[in-house]
Amino acid sequence: MISRFAGAMFLSVAIASVSQVLLKKSALNKYDTVVREYLNPYVAGGYGLLFLSMLLTVYAYSGMDYKNGPVIESLGNVMVLILGYFVFGERISARKIAGTACIIAGIVVFHL
């Protein structure tokens, strides 16, 4: 069973992944002014979600072993790959699959 602290860490990683997608969505748009480029709903939402993710991470580390944090956070790379495919239609290459397989293999080996 997953503890509430590990659950908070998983949620933190998911929120950070969504924030990365929002920031990338903002970066792909063209803006008429520099101020508008940095002050728009995508950037504000992305950084707001990153702040929320940070708070959840601090909470999660207060009740779980520190060795498990980086293992859970590595799943963020997998989540960003999946979100990129569905949100931006990014192609998933053999290299990306191999990298994701290495991440998942590392998690499995860590928990043996």
Side-chain angles (χ1 to χ4, degrees):
M1 186 165 139
I2 296 177
S3 73
R4 68 175 186 237
F5 299 107
M9 184 63 90
F10 280 115
L11 182 60
S12 171
V13 170
I15 290 171
S17 299
V18 170
S19 74
Q20 287 183 28
V21 169
L22 287 175
L23 291 171
K24 182 173 182 174
K25 199 162 183 67
S26 174
L28 293 175
N29 292 337
K30 296 287 183 194
Y31 298 97
D32 49 348
T33 66
V34 175
V35 173
R36 195 92 169 106
E37 187 173 337
Y38 294 101
L39 294 177
N40 62 66
Y42 291 125
V43 171
Y47 283 117
L49 287 176
L50 278 177
F51 182 73
L52 178 61
S53 173
M54 186 240 355
L55 292 176
L56 281 169
T57 300
V58 169
Y59 170 74
Y61 274 126
S62 72
M64 64 185 268
D65 291 337
Y66 290 133
K67 67 179 182 178
N68 292 324
V71 175
I72 295 171
E73 287 199 19
S74 67
L75 290 173
N77 296 316
V78 178
M79 288 183 197
V80 168
L81 175 75
I82 293 167
L83 286 171
Y85 175 77
F86 286 109
V87 174
F88 300 112
E90 293 177 349
R91 206 172 64 87
I92 298 179
S93 66
R95 289 180 94 172
K96 290 179 182 179
I97 291 172
T100 300
C102 287
I103 291 169
I104 293 171
I107 292 169
V108 168
V109 167
F110 178 81
H111 283 291
L112 289 180

